[in-house]
């Protein structure tokens, strides 16, 4: 076992072409951190998560998200768990494009019950990506806010192309290039992996 140290807890990582490690997590300002493969810190990249004015606990929650690579590994999709914003990171330049859901909101300090969940996961494809959306608060959906039943289809310019409604609350998604189907993880009422044909 080899152990690489990070300055703060990471929630997700990708291995970009050309070496190095890109991580997202509780990094202080919400940007991506680029590490060497030996774990040494190289640089921060990308924009902040818009959390500068939040109290510490809400700031930590807001910095949660997932990081997914496109099939060509030339772009990354970074979700924001408590915002309706998605960052499309261009690996070669570290530039970013923002994508927004239909209802725009950033992380807020309204308290745990009123904190609105945004994008929970994403599934990149060659022509864009799918994003699992919640849009719920704990007050509205006790014990269900951190699940989603809506999938938004974006192109790589960040434009929303379609909205798909699932028949179950799920917590993670993946897209299969082999069969063109969406796979989703459900926890309740019984654990299962659900398979969807989304259509056009």
């Amino acid at each position: 076992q080899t152990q690489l140290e990070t300055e703060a807890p990471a929630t997700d990582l990708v291995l970009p072409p050309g070496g190095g490690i890109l991580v997202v997590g509780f990094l202080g300002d919400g940007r991506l951190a680029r590490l060497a493969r030996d774990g040494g810190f190289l640089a921060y990249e990308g924009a902040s998560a818009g959390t500068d004015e939040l109290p510490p606990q809400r700031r930590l929650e807001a910095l949660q998200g997932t990081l997914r690579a496109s099939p060509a590994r030339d772009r990354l999709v970074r979700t924001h768990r408590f915002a309706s914003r998605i960052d499309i990171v261009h690996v070669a330049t570290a530039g970013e494009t923002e994508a927004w859901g239909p209802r725009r909101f950033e992380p807020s300090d309204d308290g745990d019950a009123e904190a609105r969940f945004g994008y929970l996961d994403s599934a990149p494809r060659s022509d864009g990506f799918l994003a699992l959306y919640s849009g719920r608060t704990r007050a509205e959906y006790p014990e269900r806010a951190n699940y989603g039943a809506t999938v938004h289809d974006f192109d790589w310019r960040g434009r929303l192309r379609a909205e798909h409604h699932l028949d179950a609350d799920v917590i993670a998604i993946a897209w299969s290039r082999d069969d063109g189907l969406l796979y989703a993880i459900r926890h309740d009422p019984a654990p299962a992996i659900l398979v969807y044909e989304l259509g056009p």
Side-chain angles (χ1 to χ4, degrees):
Q1 176 187 10
T2 301
Q3 179 172 303
L4 308 181
E5 302 293 338
T6 59
E7 67 165 13
T11 58
D12 215 346
L13 64 83
V14 297
L15 305 175
I21 305 170
L22 284 170
V23 301
V24 65
F26 305 114
L27 304 176
D29 60 3
R31 293 180 292 182
L32 300 173
R34 185 181 290 273
L35 309 177
R37 288 288 172 95
D38 64 4
F41 174 81
L42 297 177
Y44 284 120
E45 295 181 358
S48 69
T51 59
D52 292 342
E53 305 304 319
L54 295 181
Q57 182 57 38
R58 293 294 302 122
R59 181 179 172 84
L60 286 176
E61 290 179 355
L63 296 178
Q64 297 178 48
T66 61
L67 197 60
R68 303 283 182 256
S70 67
R73 296 198 301 159
D74 59 341
R75 297 179 182 94
L76 306 175
V77 179
R78 181 212 166 146
T79 62
H80 291 276
R81 191 169 175 83
F82 290 91
S84 64
R85 187 180 105 206
I86 296 171
D87 299 327
I88 303 168
V89 182
H90 305 273
V91 173
T93 64
E96 291 190 2
T97 301
E98 289 184 1
W100 289 89
R103 179 180 183 179
R104 286 194 173 213
F105 61 91
E106 287 276 19
S108 73
D109 60 355
D110 292 337
D112 287 345
E114 299 302 327
R116 189 168 300 279
F117 283 76
Y119 285 102
L120 309 175
D121 198 9
S122 71
R125 304 190 290 185
S126 59
D127 65 341
F129 60 94
L130 302 170
L132 176 61
Y133 179 70
S134 166
R136 303 167 173 178
T137 68
R138 293 186 177 98
E140 296 168 332
Y141 291 84
E143 300 182 6
R144 309 293 300 173
N146 62 324
Y147 295 84
T150 302
V151 172
H152 290 155
D153 183 345
F154 291 91
D155 66 19
W156 284 120
R157 294 184 180 181
R159 296 178 299 192
L160 180 61
R161 298 184 293 197
E163 182 173 280
H164 304 280
H165 298 281
L166 308 182
D167 60 359
D169 288 340
V170 302
I171 200 164
I173 59 174
W175 173 260
S176 170
R177 286 182 289 172
D178 297 330
D179 54 24
L181 299 175
L182 179 75
Y183 291 73
I185 295 176
R186 184 187 73 187
H187 286 177
D188 297 313
I193 295 176
L194 308 178
V195 184
Y196 294 93
E197 183 175 356
L198 295 183

